[in-house]
Amino acid sequence: MKLKGRILELAVKKLAREATVEELRELDDLLNKDPDASAVLRLLLAKWTTNEQMSKEDTDRNFAKLMGRIKAVESHQIPQTAASNYKRQPKRKLITYLENGMTMIKNYLRSAFRNIKRHPFISFINIFGLTVGLTCCLLILSYIINERSYDKFNANAKDIRRVTRIFYASKNVESLHLSAIAPPFGPLLQSAFPDIKKITRVLPIHTTAFHYKDKLFNEQNSVFAEDNFFDFFTVPVVKGDPNNALKEPYSIMLSEAMAHKYFGDTDPIGKGILLDNVFLGKIKHDFKVTGVFKAFPANSHMHPDILMSFSTLKDPAIFGANSLDNDFGGNAFFTYLLFPKDYNTDRIESQLPDFLDKYVHLGGMAGNAKTHDGTKLTFQKLADIHLHSHLDDEFEENGDIKRVYIFSAIALFILLIACINYMNLSTARSVLRAKEIGIRKVIGAQRKEIISQFLSESVMITCFALALAMALAAFLLPMINHLANTHLAFNSLLQWQILVPVLLLPFIIGLISGIYPAIFMSSFLPVKVLKGIIKTGSGGVSFRKVLVVVQFSISIILIVATTVVYRQLQYIQKADLGFNKDAVLTMGYVGQLHPQYDAFKADLLKNAAIKEVGRSSRIPSGRLLDYQDATVLVDGVMKPIKGDLKYISADYGFIPTYGMKMAAGRNFSKEFSTDTNNFIVNEAAVRSLGWKTPQNAIGKDITYGDVSGKVIGIVKDFHFESLHQAITPLIFRLPSNNGYHVMSVKVNSRNVQTAVSSLQATWHKYLPETPFDFNFLDDKFRQLYNSEQQQGSLFTIFSCVAIFIACLGLFGLSAFTITQRVKEIGVRKVLGASVRQIVLELSKDFLLLVLISAVIAIPVARWSMHEWLADFAFHTDMSWWIFAAAGIIALVIAFVTISFQSIKAALANPIKSLRTE
């Protein structure tokens, strides 16, 4: 570009106030060696800036002089210093830019710091609100990171699938969805689909007794695992060879905690440990310790402490090779498949129905129905199990993706409230900085520079708040872990994938919360500002009102949510379960006890502290997973039932032990020898089978599995499973052999310790080598709702935080607004207004905003909590008063917050406020 064009370009930019600092310096540099040209240009600029009228002749003459001086420079008729400097300018441009940028940033930071010192109250509210909001976000972020990290520590996690199995009661009517499948499926799948690189199976044994010398323990987390187990699950092996440790039958690997528990500091490798009581006491055998592994990480969907070699199961006394190859009914084996890297499994999944039809043949299939009409196999990604899988008989209780979404929304709500505080208070106090803005504009500051200044202040404040929030989160995290029974780690926030976005938060939040105040304040006209004519404008006020409405809408939604969650938890605790769960002890029923059970029970009942004893295959608080084909007599013909009918093997004492009520008929009795072929059903089964009334069902013929008999009793409906599930149609039967897994003992609630001591003594009398271990049934029911309890606690905490931040902002906004109305308050008092009238006058606008918030929030809260309660088959009602109470609570909180400032202003001496007039 020629020199003439460059000078004109820079001059035009300066006249339009669009020139940067470096461009202004460049223009001065070009003219500093030519006083005449400089004087002419400065005259033009002065005339332009002051809007002074200039005649056309003067303008033409001055412009001609300027052009002449420019031509003289270009034709080398004046010294070349300016032109030479211009030519060298590109070399200095980067350095000049950096110097100017650093100077500007220092100036912005200095201004921001002075502004914080000048207005400490509002600055404190902004910084404190952002700190609390960011702390909550960091805590919730650590929870989300933990939940989404499950099983991703495994090296091949992306390429591992778990196989699940669905059963249908009738076509497309799902009866059961199991997370474990039958043992033959794994090898058959690998044989049928060569793309599957490896398969591994895991069989959990929930209660197993282990002996080592004089040490005797019941272990809950032992499994049989195949020798390629560690090819799937990346857990460090500290002793032994992970590739060979589980190859030989009767080999065992222990976690470090288990190794220390049994062997202390002694090296356990090669030592023997006696396994007792597997599969109802069918085996006693020494296992050789072949390895020690580190504990599974907390973010794993399973946590076995003991691994036993899978080849041990080939022993006929335990399971048998034939059952491993041919038993398609023993759905207890967790089966995992390893595929090639980034393999798309859709093609294999589409072929699974044909695979089932080829290899599996189910009995009881009607007509031309195929196997895949009665059962189905599906694949699950390993990393999806924790948050997306809630199947029957999971390895452990999983999390819930809905909970992650809920707490993510809460984090965003809290952060939004904190940002709204900043926007509201910044725009409200804009009148205090109006003259500052006016002066900056007069001395040449452009609008974008003013915007940059305010945004930099916002970012600086957010950076400071983030630093405080990081420290506060690290301090609070152990308390949150204790309260919510979680394993959150602050280190999870220090991973670079997380830390980089976290460090970018101040810029994002600073821009979001500062952009509106910056644009709003940079729009002030300097002439009006410096004359004292400053008004925030109706648009600004309206926008602040919208922000207050958003804040309190969120707060009311959280109040409703907290109330509904609390009421549901109370409903769960107080719900009539249909039986008495109090003072019931449960323990595993071992096979050695079966031949002498009658004598054992008689000894127990000699103690008055023990009221009743019963046995069953499952107990309330567990899942109903067992069912067989059933037929009932309809119009003289036995026809298959259409619904789902689960069963429990129960003895004569089970129903009395739990205090269940009979709707019709009687309990099983030893006085009737035919009861071994008869059945008891619940009221849900009566309805499902089409019998009109419980009385009408008595004596009906029914075949269940391979047993045909009559219905002799109807037990009233009771909640066997959690309140998340509907009451399932259920049938009780006396097993022909030992089909019991659990023993339940009803004790006197006033003498529990005596009953436990008597039970323990009697146990060791009959089972001297079996550990005595028991649980209280009410504890098991409490565990069913652990996640809801944790959710309720965290909901309450974060809701209180959100409401507190909203009130903090309202407190600051009301304080500032009242400060601007001091003279008005003084005039009102002089004219006779009472304190009550003044308080109401100052509060009504804010209270109106809270009422509007309630109108907006209540429908949203009702919909969201209706969706949450939908996860419970039995739940509390959302009464109208919950929403009314939430609105009233918000009004009261807002009124109390505002009143603190309103009353103070109303009681002030009006003479002081009017003295300046």
Side-chain angles (χ1 to χ4, degrees):
M1 178 186 293
K2 292 184 179 180
L3 183 58
K4 173 183 175 181
R6 181 62 179 167
I7 292 176
L8 288 175
E9 178 188 357
L10 294 175
V12 170
K13 280 191 174 183
K14 184 168 183 177
L15 290 173
R17 291 189 176 180
E18 294 179 357
T20 63
V21 174
E22 63 174 4
E23 287 172 334
L24 293 173
R25 288 183 178 180
E26 182 184 349
L27 181 60
D28 288 340
D29 194 30
L30 291 172
L31 299 174
N32 63 0
K33 297 299 181 180
D34 189 349
D36 293 338
S38 177
V40 172
L41 182 59
R42 292 185 192 283
L43 177 62
L44 286 172
L45 292 174
K47 298 291 185 180
W48 180 284
T49 305
T50 58
N51 293 321
E52 184 178 330
Q53 294 296 322
M54 183 185 295
S55 67
K56 185 177 186 303
E57 293 77 7
D58 290 341
T59 302
D60 292 342
R61 183 170 57 254
N62 289 328
F63 192 75
K65 286 181 180 180
L66 177 61
M67 291 296 100
R69 302 311 299 168
I70 292 172
K71 289 177 180 178
V73 170
E74 290 183 327
S75 60
H76 307 285
Q77 295 175 11
I78 63 171
Q80 299 299 307
T81 307
S84 301
N85 288 343
Y86 172 74
K87 291 177 181 178
R88 289 197 301 267
Q89 188 71 19
K91 299 178 182 178
R92 299 175 53 205
K93 189 171 184 179
L94 178 61
I95 297 174
T96 304
Y97 178 81
L98 292 175
E99 289 175 351
N100 293 342
M102 291 302 297
T103 302
M104 181 179 65
I105 291 172
K106 287 179 182 178
N107 180 53
Y108 288 167
L109 293 177
R110 189 182 300 114
S111 174
F113 183 71
R114 287 173 179 171
N115 189 58
I116 291 172
K117 289 180 65 178
R118 192 178 301 120
H119 307 291
F121 175 68
I122 291 178
S123 298
F124 168 78
I125 290 178
N126 278 334
I127 294 173
F128 185 73
L130 285 172
T131 299
V132 174
L134 285 168
T135 301
C136 292
C137 286
L138 290 175
L139 292 173
I140 293 175
L141 178 61
S142 65
Y143 164 77
I144 294 171
I145 292 170
N146 179 70
E147 290 295 288
R148 296 188 68 88
S149 70
Y150 267 70
D151 292 305
K152 292 180 180 178
F153 65 89
N154 297 298
N156 298 314
K158 292 183 179 179
D159 304 311
I160 296 174
R161 302 291 186 271
R162 185 176 73 172
V163 189
T164 71
R165 187 176 186 182
I166 301 173
F167 288 90
Y168 296 102
S170 56
K171 191 167 185 178
N172 297 326
V173 178
E174 187 175 309
S175 167
L176 201 61
H177 194 169
L178 297 175
S179 52
I181 62 175
F185 279 122
L188 287 174
L189 282 167
Q190 189 173 25
S191 174
F193 304 105
D195 285 351
I196 298 175
K197 291 174 64 177
K198 296 179 183 179
I199 69 103
T200 197
R201 292 168 291 179
V202 179
L203 175 65
I205 310 298
H206 295 295
T207 302
T208 308
F210 287 91
H211 300 247
Y212 178 70
K213 295 183 178 178
D214 60 340
K215 296 180 179 179
L216 177 62
F217 297 103
N218 268 338
E219 302 298 350
Q220 304 295 325
N221 296 314
S222 55
V223 303
F224 286 98
E226 295 201 79
D227 56 356
N228 62 355
F229 179 83
F230 292 102
D231 293 340
F232 286 74
F233 303 101
T234 310
V235 178
V237 175
V238 295
K239 290 184 180 180
D241 180 3
N243 296 318
N244 298 304
L246 295 174
K247 278 189 180 295
E248 298 299 322
Y250 301 104
S251 300
I252 191 169
M253 297 183 71
L254 307 175
S255 68
E256 288 180 308
M258 286 293 110
H260 188 269
K261 179 178 179 179
Y262 285 94
F263 301 102
D265 296 329
T266 307
D267 186 357
I269 300 298
K271 291 186 169 55
I273 185 170
L274 181 66
L275 175 67
D276 191 6
N277 245 4
V278 176
F279 297 112
L280 306 178
K282 294 180 181 177
I283 180 176
K284 267 190 176 183
H285 203 289
D286 274 322
F287 277 67
K288 180 182 177 181
V289 179
T290 55
V292 177
F293 58 90
K294 284 189 174 294
F296 275 68
N299 57 343
S300 172
H301 77 285
M302 62 175 172
H303 295 89
D305 291 319
I306 297 173
L307 304 176
M308 297 172 286
S309 56
F310 197 86
S311 56
T312 307
L313 293 174
K314 294 180 180 179
D315 187 335
I318 302 177
F319 198 82
N322 183 60
S323 295
L324 287 174
D325 294 336
N326 300 295
D327 182 6
F328 287 96
N331 296 288
F333 293 75
F334 291 89
T335 303
Y336 303 87
L337 313 177
L338 177 62
F339 288 92
K341 187 174 180 60
D342 299 326
Y343 186 85
N344 188 340
T345 63
D346 291 346
R347 181 182 62 82
I348 292 179
E349 289 187 77
S350 67
Q351 297 176 33
L352 290 178
D354 293 334
F355 165 84
L356 287 170
D357 293 339
K358 179 178 179 180
Y359 291 102
V360 184
H361 303 283
L362 298 180
M365 299 292 290
N368 296 322
K370 296 183 177 181
T371 300
H372 73 260
D373 293 324
T375 189
K376 177 183 178 182
L377 296 180
T378 65
F379 291 167
Q380 282 182 330
K381 293 180 179 179
L382 182 66
D384 287 348
I385 291 175
H386 178 68
L387 288 178
H388 299 274
S389 182
H390 305 94
L391 309 183
D392 300 306
D393 207 22
E394 289 281 2
F395 215 116
E396 296 177 5
E397 182 183 4
N398 287 328
D400 192 342
I401 191 63
K402 290 182 180 178
R403 205 173 306 144
V404 171
Y405 293 151
I406 288 171
F407 283 109
S408 299
I410 291 175
L412 290 175
F413 284 165
I414 291 174
L415 195 57
L416 179 60
I417 289 174
C419 291
I420 287 173
N421 277 357
Y422 187 90
M423 285 189 276
N424 267 342
L425 294 175
S426 296
T427 53
R429 67 174 177 168
S430 58
V431 67
L432 300 177
R433 304 190 66 178
K435 288 188 177 180
E436 173 196 343
I437 297 166
I439 292 172
R440 285 182 179 276
K441 282 197 167 188
V442 166
I443 63 176
Q446 300 175 51
R447 185 174 186 183
K448 64 180 180 180
E449 292 170 344
I450 294 174
I451 291 175
S452 298
Q453 176 194 340
F454 287 115
L455 288 180
S456 65
E457 288 183 16
S458 176
V459 170
M460 190 191 80
I461 288 174
T462 312
C463 284
F464 185 59
L466 178 63
L468 293 175
M470 293 283 280
L472 196 57
F475 175 74
L476 292 176
L477 208 54
M479 302 180 194
I480 296 293
N481 282 334
H482 176 73
L483 177 67
N485 192 29
T486 55
H487 302 86
L488 308 182
F490 186 75
N491 290 342
S492 64
L493 297 174
L494 303 181
Q495 305 171 54
W496 71 267
Q497 304 97 321
I498 305 299
L499 188 59
V500 171
V502 168
L503 293 178
L504 290 175
L505 269 179
F507 300 94
I508 299 170
I509 295 170
L511 290 174
I512 292 173
S513 58
I515 190 65
Y516 173 70
I519 293 174
F520 176 69
M521 287 187 279
S522 67
S523 66
F524 291 169
L525 298 176
V527 175
K528 292 184 178 181
V529 166
L530 295 178
K531 288 182 179 180
I533 307 172
I534 175 62
K535 186 178 180 182
T536 57
S538 59
V541 174
S542 298
F543 189 68
R544 288 205 300 278
K545 289 179 178 179
V546 169
L547 296 179
V548 171
V549 168
V550 171
Q551 275 188 316
F552 273 89
S553 295
I554 294 171
S555 300
I556 291 170
I557 290 171
L558 292 176
I559 291 172
V560 171
T562 303
T563 304
V564 172
V565 170
Y566 174 78
R567 278 175 54 82
Q568 178 62 16
L569 292 175
Q570 291 295 306
Y571 177 86
I572 288 169
Q573 293 171 4
K574 297 178 181 180
D576 181 7
L577 300 178
F579 64 91
N580 188 354
K581 70 179 188 304
D582 298 326
V584 175
L585 282 67
T586 64
M587 59 194 68
Y589 184 74
V590 296
Q592 298 97 315
L593 186 60
H594 193 63
Q596 46 191 347
Y597 173 75
D598 290 338
F600 172 81
K601 179 177 179 179
D603 277 357
L604 285 179
L605 295 177
K606 289 177 183 177
N607 190 319
I610 296 176
K611 295 183 175 181
E612 188 57 82
V613 183
R615 298 168 295 174
S616 59
S617 55
R618 297 183 183 274
I619 57 170
S621 75
R623 294 302 308 273
L624 291 166
L625 304 178
D626 308 315
Y627 83 100
Q628 294 181 356
D629 296 324
T631 58
V632 295
L633 187 65
V634 179
D635 298 328
V637 180
M638 297 298 290
K639 295 184 178 181
I641 65 172
K642 295 181 180 179
D644 186 18
L645 187 61
K646 303 292 176 59
Y647 80 87
I648 294 177
S649 295
D651 72 355
Y652 306 99
F654 177 79
I655 289 177
T657 298
Y658 284 94
M660 297 171 182
K661 306 297 182 184
M662 302 299 295
R666 59 177 177 83
N667 184 25
F668 295 121
S669 173
K670 291 184 178 180
E671 296 179 2
F672 298 89
S673 59
T674 56
D675 275 1
T676 54
N677 291 327
N678 290 333
F679 304 95
I680 296 173
V681 298
N682 65 353
E683 291 175 308
V686 171
R687 294 189 294 272
S688 175
L689 296 173
W691 298 327
K692 295 181 180 179
T693 64
Q695 291 75 16
N696 182 255
I698 300 297
K700 295 288 186 181
D701 291 306
I702 185 171
T703 298
Y704 195 85
D706 56 357
V707 179
S708 297
K710 294 184 180 295
V711 175
I712 61 169
I714 311 298
V715 68
K716 287 189 174 181
D717 281 342
F718 64 95
H719 293 280
F720 193 97
E721 301 172 299
S722 80
L723 297 184
H724 286 283
Q725 279 80 38
I727 294 177
T728 303
L730 189 59
I731 187 168
F732 297 89
R733 68 181 187 185
L734 291 167
S736 56
N737 49 29
N738 179 18
Y740 306 116
H741 303 304
V742 190
M743 182 169 63
S744 304
V745 181
K746 178 71 173 180
V747 302
N748 190 328
S749 59
R750 297 181 179 179
N751 206 358
V752 174
Q753 191 56 51
T754 301
V756 171
S757 299
S758 175
L759 180 58
Q760 183 175 13
T762 309
W763 179 274
H764 286 308
K765 174 183 174 182
Y766 287 88
L767 301 166
E769 295 185 355
T770 303
F772 174 72
D773 197 11
F774 71 93
N775 293 290
F776 285 101
L777 184 68
D778 53 359
D779 288 338
K780 286 181 171 290
F781 266 93
R782 209 164 10 250
Q783 291 170 9
L784 290 177
Y785 308 106
N786 273 343
S787 61
E788 284 79 12
Q789 292 284 358
Q790 294 168 13
Q791 189 171 339
S793 300
L794 293 176
F795 239 117
T796 303
I797 292 171
F798 291 125
S799 296
C800 291
V801 168
I803 295 165
F804 172 73
I805 296 175
C807 290
L808 196 65
L810 186 62
F811 180 80
L813 188 60
S814 62
F816 183 83
T817 303
I818 290 169
T819 301
Q820 300 302 303
R821 299 178 66 181
V822 166
K823 291 183 175 62
E824 176 193 338
I825 295 169
V827 172
R828 288 181 180 275
K829 289 197 72 174
V830 168
L831 295 177
S834 66
V835 172
R836 184 177 64 85
Q837 289 173 325
I838 292 174
V839 170
L840 290 176
E841 177 65 28
L842 295 174
S843 305
K844 67 179 183 181
D845 289 341
F846 290 108
L847 296 181
L848 178 61
L849 297 179
V850 177
L851 280 173
I852 294 172
S853 301
V855 172
I856 295 171
I858 286 173
V860 177
R862 188 181 186 284
W863 172 82
S864 59
M865 295 318 296
H866 180 270
E867 292 296 309
W868 184 78
L869 288 174
D871 284 340
F872 294 87
F874 299 87
H875 55 75
T876 185
D877 295 326
M878 286 193 291
S879 304
W880 65 268
W881 65 263
I882 294 176
F883 304 100
I888 292 171
I889 290 171
L891 279 171
V892 170
I893 292 174
F895 184 71
V896 170
T897 303
I898 299 164
S899 296
F900 183 82
Q901 294 290 336
S902 301
I903 294 172
K904 180 180 176 182
L907 294 174
N909 189 341
I911 295 175
K912 293 182 179 179
S913 61
L914 298 175
R915 183 174 294 164
T916 58
E917 294 298 324

